Amino acid sequence: MNYVLLGRTGVKVSELCFGTMSFGATADEAESKRMFQRCLDAGINFFDCANVYAGGRSEEILGDLIQGIRDELVITSKVFGRVGKDVNAGGLSRRHITRAVEDSLRRLKTDRLDLYFVHQFDRNTPIEEVVRALDDLVQAGKIVYPAVSNWAAWQIMKALGISYREGLARFECIQPMYNLVKRQVEVEILPLAQEEQLGVIPYSPLGGGLLTGKYTTKERPAQGRLVENDMYMKRYGVDFYYEVAEKFSEHARARGVHPATLAVAWVLHHPAVTAPIIGARNVEQLEASLAAVEVEMTDEWWQEISNLSYTPPPATDRLEEQRR
Ligand SMILES: NC(=O)c1ccc[n+]([C@@H]2O[C@H](COP(=O)([O-])OP(=O)(O)OC[C@H]3O[C@@H](n4cnc5c(N)ncnc54)[C@H](OP(=O)(O)O)[C@@H]3O)[C@@H](O)[C@H]2O)c1
């Protein structure tokens, strides 16, 4: 396992991050423990979590597992999703962020979060309020770095502008969706991250399971997120994605690589990417994603795989005069 700098921070993270969304959900406590241990054995020091995963259970399980080695690990959590019935139990108001961080710290049994992600954009809270609330948490030592997931490029840049102007802690890392069928981030978000030296930890490198070889235009597995989870069925409910998945899986097998391994390696190869966040429901699944670090991806191979999918159009239509 290689270790890379997270953006412009001096923090070194493993080139794969493990996502704990399955903890307490599709993986029980015992399987979560096995996966956690397998990640440590593989050299992973970077674990992604969120307050909403399995209703807080994921943080509790991860919190138990990190006891005794917490200082050797880089731990994240997130805020935004609804965590209670009252009208203020969600979003990014200073009021909710201040409350939610305490709950995450308690469940994770730690005194600080290394990265604290705002999970989505909140149209009801001014960006300045969000940035100031996170800066206060940095000053209080409850979080080390603010970070952002699922925001548009202009929203991230606006927040960075406020941080620069006001001298506040800035977002040091972004967490966008990125895989062979979801490539919107290539247009604005990844270039922004490179320009501003942000760490990039993309989620869903396998498209929630789509790119693992078990989905084709005609076949569906009996069990799996894309046949069981409404949100993911909607997110990936496009015929073209299944055509890409089928072509991609054939390509991977012809090269003697597990499709899941190649899908993660493809994400990892983008120059803006720090560490893809891999996910699994058991150790057997996890092995294929871990093997991605062994793949010797080249620019040519990356392009060949990219050509199996749709490349999103550039951010501006006036291209005929552009020079390199
Ligand atoms: N910021 C956000 O909004 C956000 C959103 C999503 C995820 N995340 C983070 O990113 C992490 C990874 O995301 P993800 O779970 O969506 O990643 P993913 O790698 O795209 O999908 C993982 C899923 O694919 C299937 N799978 C994995 N390996 C497989 C294999 N070898 N063979 C067959 N199926 C396999 C499993 O689901 P099935 O067994 O059900 O098919 C597994 O849960 C999460 O844990 C979380 O930390 C963040």
Side-chain angles (χ1 to χ4, degrees):
M1 186 68 62
N2 290 313
Y3 298 86
V4 285
L5 286 171
L6 179 75
R8 68 169 191 183
T9 74
V11 179
K12 290 180 189 128
V13 292
S14 47
E15 60 185 330
L16 293 178
C17 174
F18 181 73
T20 60
M21 192 166 75
S22 57
F23 285 12
T26 52
D28 63 15
E29 220 174 309
E31 195 57 44
S32 303
K33 187 175 180 181
R34 276 193 285 275
M35 289 196 281
F36 180 77
Q37 191 54 51
R38 180 67 188 95
C39 286
L40 292 183
D41 293 345
I44 289 180
N45 72 346
F46 196 7
F47 292 88
D48 181 61
C49 201
N51 62 341
V52 290
Y53 293 167
R57 190 70 193 117
S58 175
E59 285 184 327
E60 287 173 351
I61 294 173
L62 182 62
D64 289 339
L65 294 171
I66 64 177
Q67 292 314 298
I69 51 168
R70 193 267 169 265
D71 289 345
E72 293 161 34
L73 305 176
V74 177
I75 301 293
T76 89
S77 196
K78 310 189 188 81
V79 56
F80 174 83
R82 178 158 284 282
V83 290
K85 284 195 201 112
D86 83 272
V87 289
N88 288 306
L92 297 179
S93 68
R94 166 187 287 277
R95 185 178 184 282
H96 180 61
I97 289 177
T98 310
R99 170 75 237 185
V101 75
E102 297 297 341
D103 290 336
S104 287
L105 291 171
R106 180 174 43 77
R107 286 188 290 257
L108 283 160
K109 295 169 268 297
T110 183
D111 59 351
R112 69 204 182 280
L113 300 169
D114 298 307
L115 290 170
Y116 196 38
F117 283 93
V118 290
H119 208 155
Q120 288 184 45
F121 187 70
D122 179 1
R123 337 188 144 268
N124 298 318
T125 308
I127 294 177
E128 184 153 5
E129 174 167 340
V130 178
V131 171
R132 282 189 182 278
L134 293 170
D135 181 73
D136 284 349
L137 297 186
V138 172
Q139 304 310 324
K142 293 178 194 289
I143 70 170
V144 183
Y145 302 111
V148 59
S149 183
N150 297 314
W151 284 24
W154 69 265
Q155 294 162 340
I156 299 170
M157 197 57 237
K158 194 169 171 186
L160 291 174
I162 292 169
S163 302
Y164 298 149
R165 191 186 68 208
E166 306 294 330
L168 302 172
R170 67 165 208 168
F171 291 139
E172 295 293 353
C173 185
I174 62 171
Q175 184 174 146
M177 183 191 302
Y178 186 39
N179 59 56
L180 187 58
V181 300
K182 296 284 192 183
R183 297 175 56 189
Q184 183 60 38
V185 287
E186 288 175 19
V187 181
E188 298 258 45
I189 291 180
L190 296 182
L192 160 64
Q194 286 176 297
E195 176 71 19
E196 297 295 322
Q197 275 188 283
L198 305 177
V200 180
I201 60 169
Y203 69 84
S204 294
L206 305 178
L210 177 74
L211 302 169
T212 61
K214 63 186 176 188
Y215 295 92
T216 69
T217 51
K218 294 186 197 68
E219 292 156 317
R220 299 284 182 277
Q223 182 193 55
R225 206 186 295 170
L226 304 191
V227 294
E228 290 170 332
N229 179 316
D230 285 345
M231 187 171 76
Y232 278 83
M233 285 162 76
K234 210 176 273 179
R235 191 175 296 169
Y236 290 97
V238 176
D239 288 345
F240 176 69
Y241 293 171
Y242 288 84
E243 290 167 25
V244 173
E246 187 168 308
K247 280 188 288 180
F248 169 74
S249 299
E250 283 166 12
H251 173 93
R253 290 194 185 106
R255 298 286 193 113
V257 189
H258 191 297
T261 305
L262 193 60
V264 176
W266 181 85
V267 172
L268 181 58
H269 189 71
H270 193 290
V273 169
T274 309
I277 312 177
I278 56 172
R281 67 163 71 215
N282 55 41
V283 173
E284 292 67 42
Q285 286 189 349
L286 177 59
E287 292 298 341
S289 290
L290 288 175
V293 297
E294 311 295 336
V295 174
E296 287 181 22
M297 179 63 62
T298 59
D299 291 348
E300 293 70 32
W301 194 6
W302 187 90
Q303 192 56 56
E304 202 184 325
I305 296 168
S306 303
N307 291 345
L308 299 172
S309 180
Y310 171 77
T311 302
T316 165
D317 278 330
R318 185 146 177 172
L319 302 169
E320 65 283 354
E321 293 157 310
Q322 274 192 7
R323 290 190 200 97
R324 289 235 157 219

